[in-house]
Amino acid sequence: MQPKVRFGVRGSAGVITFDAPPLNLIDRQVRYELLAAIEAATGHNIDRLILTSACRVFVAGADAGEFGKPPEAPHLNDVLWALSDLPIPTIAVLDGAALGGGCEIALACRARIASPRAEIGLPEVKLGLVPGAGGTQRLPRLVGIPLALEVIVAGKTLTAQQAFEAGAVTRVCETPLDCALSLPAAELSTMTVPNGLAAPQPAPKALEAARKTAKRRARGQIAPLCAVDMIAASALEPLEAGLYQEREAFLTLRQSDQARALRHVFFAERAAQSQARNYLDDGRVFESACVIGGGNMGTSIAYALASAGMSVQVVERDAASCTLAERKCEALIAAAQTRGLITSNTASTITARMAYIANYDQLARVDLAIEAVFEDMNVKKDILTKLEAVLPKNSILATNTSYLDVNKMAAVLRHPERFLGLHFFNPAHIMKLLEVIRTDTTSEATLGAAFRLTKKLRKIPVLSGVCEGFIGNRILKRYREAAESMLLQGATPRQIDQSMRDFGMAMGPFEAQDMSGLDIAYANRNRAGHTRGFRTVADRLVEDHNRLGRKSGGGWYDYSEGQASESELVTRLTETTAQETGIARRLFDSTEIVNTLVGAMTDEAHAILEEGIAQTPEDIDLVMILGYGFPRYRGGLMYCSVSGEASKPNR
């Protein structure tokens, strides 16, 4: 067996090197060999023990594949107690990511020397866990409770400079290993033993604010609130007692339904992000692009492309429209800068990458062209044929349609093998999901290039076949139909919305429609011919009352100063429609509402799988979680239906 941890001596220093590429994930072998290396160090005449890495990261965390198995000794918390208890100075050399257990290894050392490229974080709550080897107890002792809450509960990753300024990193330098080897004895003698760090100051206001935020942003999730409690204990309990409580919480959460569901999502995302390897790599790169359409979606896509390092041209119909598109892009860049997501230098760089033109003749040779205009088949066909005429044959052509038949678009092209759908979700520069739509004629090379593009954009791709609405919008349509059917049978919009929010959905179906606009769904129904004959309540709201949602002051709800209230008009229309169609009305409880609506979505999802539109159940889970607000901690729609999560209460 190839060793993953090595011990050696360099001059007066002992050096422990992690060498399990690419991420140095902590498994039983790493724990065993790290403990052996720590014990070996005590048998040498050294004045310091340095922990470093042979990989591009320090240690990226635990091997999540072990979380579903019974814990095996040696446990990381025991290994790190032995490390922190050593009588010689210990120094973690960080040149890359130190996340999860990797961060905890560093915290168990007396000092941490980092390169500017290093970052530290404790993202365990994303897997339904709390740090289990000292993170909740040692980090607050170094940086204080408020920042520890940001890192552990909110999932903030600290850069090397941020960690240095906060006290988590001792020094930042370009060559951290050389720095650690050359530290003078006088400095070594001043290093505080990790187990002797003073408890942090209590921070009741920060703790209470963190609890409120966790209940709002991570509604229904156990781990974030548990993490807050563990961090609070760091100010009240001796270190050893706090470490024991943390370990017990970690082991309990590790076996929870939520942790299992979140592990499922973690592995599904990892598989999705590695899809490019399944397709031909023809060496194509993406350095330039054009986006046709300067509306909200088009400019958001353009901004995402420019943020990923590509030069981007936004094509509009005239100079005035170009000016509007430019203002929208400038607003996106300014908003990112205001929120601290980009620096002023980065904002200037992104701005310089973007250009706005009103004539296809001005279009530069680009690697990628995305049309993002309104949902009209003829308009999209016209744009695609014009693009094909002026762009090089190796340029990829894409449509951002949400519903239309991309096979029909491909049929008008001379080279349909280079065409596909790229269904971005709004706002495109924020949403992680990207549905990659394969037409009947899309080539393997084009698909491979598209998946490499998603990696460049840092998005999670899901491959979809061709049908109305693809994967997500097709399921959403069935969800809304089922909700409106329950409305006619006696449920109310508020009752249905509240039941689905309690289940964990980001929004209920009716408030979500009011947010996006009832006219959008109406237009899709009208285009598909679904509004002919029987008129739904939604049809009547749009056609007879011009109720389009929040933007018109009323939709499924009435709105006053941004606040929603139940609508007497909607109640009256619902009762009238039920009478006209002979539907008997009755009472519903929340459990029946959730089971009915999740069941309707699941039935549609199974049909999508059987038709080959989606490749795997995990793909459907990702679409629903990342694109439609399905609760991540329930594992996604398909996982939920298999595990019985839909019938379980929100915990």
Side-chain angles (χ1 to χ4, degrees):
M1 183 186 298
Q2 187 74 19
K4 297 182 178 180
V5 182
R6 304 191 307 270
F7 172 74
V9 177
R10 292 182 59 175
S12 62
V15 179
I16 293 175
T17 304
F18 295 98
D19 191 6
L23 299 175
N24 285 335
L25 295 179
I26 304 168
D27 57 13
R28 184 182 181 280
Q29 181 184 344
V30 168
R31 297 192 301 272
Y32 176 83
E33 292 177 355
L34 176 57
L35 182 59
I38 292 168
E39 292 171 347
T42 62
H44 290 75
N45 184 23
I46 53 178
D47 65 0
R48 72 199 71 188
L49 178 62
I50 298 170
L51 283 74
T52 187
S53 168
C55 304
R56 296 182 65 182
V57 302
F58 177 66
V59 175
D63 183 350
E66 288 194 343
F67 288 169
K69 304 173 184 177
E72 286 189 85
H75 308 300
L76 186 60
N77 58 319
D78 295 328
V79 175
L80 298 190
W81 184 265
L83 175 64
S84 64
D85 207 35
L86 284 174
I88 55 175
T90 49
I91 307 166
V93 169
L94 311 179
D95 191 5
L99 304 175
C103 179
E104 290 175 305
I105 292 172
L107 294 175
C109 294
R110 299 191 190 187
R112 288 146 296 281
I113 300 178
S115 79
R117 298 170 293 281
E119 57 181 9
I120 68 170
L122 292 162
E124 284 84 351
V125 293
K126 296 178 181 178
L127 288 176
L129 304 170
V130 295
T136 67
Q137 303 305 300
R138 291 194 170 103
L139 186 63
R141 285 171 162 82
L142 286 171
V143 305
I145 284 177
L147 183 55
L149 289 166
E150 290 186 45
V151 173
I152 297 171
V153 182
K156 179 178 181 178
T157 299
L158 299 179
T159 64
Q161 187 61 32
Q162 288 171 331
F164 171 71
E165 293 171 359
V169 160
T170 313
R171 184 178 295 186
V172 178
C173 62
E174 282 290 343
T175 54
L177 179 57
D178 292 341
C179 184
L181 288 166
S182 62
L183 284 179
E187 187 168 345
L188 294 174
S189 66
T190 63
M191 293 178 179
T192 304
V193 176
N195 295 348
L197 290 170
Q201 290 296 312
K205 291 183 179 180
L207 289 163
E208 183 57 28
R211 288 190 180 95
K212 289 181 179 178
T213 300
K215 288 177 181 177
R216 184 178 74 254
R217 294 184 179 175
R219 188 160 34 95
Q221 297 186 45
I222 304 169
L225 290 173
C226 182
V228 175
D229 292 341
M230 292 298 99
I231 294 169
S234 68
L236 305 173
E237 301 284 353
L239 177 63
E240 193 166 3
L243 291 173
Y244 177 81
Q245 291 179 18
E246 177 193 73
R247 179 65 179 174
E248 290 298 299
F250 171 82
L251 291 175
T252 299
L253 289 172
R254 186 166 122 151
Q255 300 305 314
S256 68
D257 291 339
Q258 289 190 5
R260 280 191 284 268
L262 289 166
R263 285 198 297 273
H264 165 79
V265 179
F266 171 81
F267 286 116
E269 288 184 339
R270 196 158 74 174
Q273 290 170 315
S274 65
Q275 288 184 84
R277 70 182 65 169
N278 300 327
Y279 297 92
L280 174 68
D281 183 352
D282 60 2
R284 192 177 340 218
V285 296
F286 291 99
E287 296 178 348
S288 59
C290 68
V291 177
I292 315 303
N296 291 336
M297 177 58 85
T299 51
S300 184
I301 293 172
Y303 173 61
L305 297 171
S307 297
M310 301 170 68
S311 60
V312 182
Q313 290 179 297
V314 178
V315 183
E316 260 294 354
R317 60 183 178 273
D318 52 40
S321 298
C322 284
T323 299
L324 289 175
E326 184 172 7
R327 288 174 182 170
K328 288 178 181 178
C329 287
E330 288 173 348
L332 292 174
I333 295 169
Q337 190 175 348
T338 300
R339 294 173 58 195
L341 300 177
I342 59 175
T343 64
S344 58
N345 287 339
T346 301
S348 298
T349 300
I350 293 172
T351 299
R353 291 180 183 139
M354 306 185 78
Y356 308 86
I357 61 174
N359 192 318
Y360 286 97
D361 294 337
Q362 298 175 334
L363 194 60
R365 297 172 64 90
V366 295
D367 304 313
L368 170 70
I370 302 174
E371 73 77 17
V373 301
F374 53 92
E375 294 283 85
D376 183 291
M377 177 64 79
N378 291 330
V379 172
K380 288 179 181 288
K381 284 181 178 179
D382 180 61
I383 289 171
L384 290 168
T385 54
K386 288 178 178 177
L387 287 172
E388 186 177 40
V390 299
L391 292 178
K393 290 183 179 180
N394 64 341
S395 297
I396 286 180
L397 303 181
T399 175
N400 180 55
T401 182
S402 301
Y403 288 93
L404 299 180
D405 188 335
V406 292
N407 279 327
K408 291 182 179 179
M409 297 182 204
V412 304
L413 299 174
R414 295 193 304 275
H415 297 284
E417 69 279 358
R418 62 165 168 165
F419 170 72
L420 79 168
L422 292 176
H423 179 206
F424 289 82
F425 285 72
N426 196 27
H429 61 293
I430 294 175
M431 298 290 280
K432 299 291 287 185
L433 177 65
L434 180 57
E435 280 184 318
V436 177
I437 316 301
R438 180 177 195 163
T439 75
D440 293 342
T441 50
T442 304
S443 71
E444 295 287 304
T446 297
L447 281 175
F451 283 118
R452 292 194 301 278
L453 172 67
T454 63
K455 185 175 182 179
K456 187 180 184 76
L457 296 176
R458 296 184 177 181
K459 295 195 179 294
I460 296 175
V462 170
L463 181 63
S464 172
V466 179
C467 67
E468 184 184 358
F470 313 120
I471 297 173
N473 280 337
R474 178 169 160 181
I475 294 174
L476 177 65
K477 176 186 172 185
R478 182 69 188 93
Y479 174 49
R480 288 176 171 174
E481 288 173 349
E484 290 184 42
S485 176
M486 296 187 80
L487 206 63
L488 293 177
Q489 296 173 57
T492 67
R494 176 145 290 176
Q495 183 188 16
I496 292 172
D497 284 345
Q498 186 63 55
S499 296
M500 296 312 294
R501 282 200 308 274
D502 289 344
F503 171 71
M505 295 292 287
M507 300 179 77
F510 296 107
E511 59 187 343
Q513 283 189 67
D514 274 1
M515 182 69 73
S516 61
L518 273 68
D519 50 325
I520 295 175
Y522 174 80
N524 289 326
R525 291 196 305 277
N526 189 52
R527 177 183 46 77
H530 297 159
T531 58
R532 298 169 193 156
F534 172 70
R535 292 203 307 155
T536 66
V537 176
D539 294 335
R540 298 175 191 214
L541 288 172
V542 174
E543 293 174 350
D544 300 343
H545 303 280
N546 196 36
R547 289 175 67 93
L548 309 180
R550 283 182 175 270
K551 60 189 175 186
S552 67
W556 291 106
Y557 297 94
D558 293 334
Y559 293 92
S560 177
E561 297 181 353
Q563 297 300 310
S565 60
E566 292 190 271
S567 169
E568 293 183 4
L569 172 63
V570 170
T571 300
R572 189 166 63 252
L573 283 176
T574 301
E575 292 173 348
T576 299
T577 306
Q579 288 175 355
E580 291 174 355
T581 52
I583 295 175
R585 293 170 64 78
R586 61 184 179 86
L587 298 177
F588 288 87
D589 62 28
S590 293
T591 299
E592 184 178 4
I593 289 172
V594 169
N595 288 339
T596 299
L597 296 186
V598 173
M601 288 190 286
T602 303
D603 289 344
E604 194 67 31
H606 280 296
I608 287 170
L609 270 177
E610 290 170 5
E611 295 168 20
I613 302 301
Q615 308 303 301
T616 67
E618 291 78 11
D619 284 348
I620 294 175
D621 288 337
L622 291 179
V623 168
M624 297 309 296
I625 290 169
L626 299 172
Y628 298 88
F630 198 92
R632 187 183 186 92
Y633 65 86
R634 292 191 185 272
L637 178 62
M638 302 303 284
Y639 179 91
C640 188
S641 66
V642 171
S643 66
E645 277 290 306
S647 61
K648 295 177 182 178
N650 207 339
R651 299 171 294 282

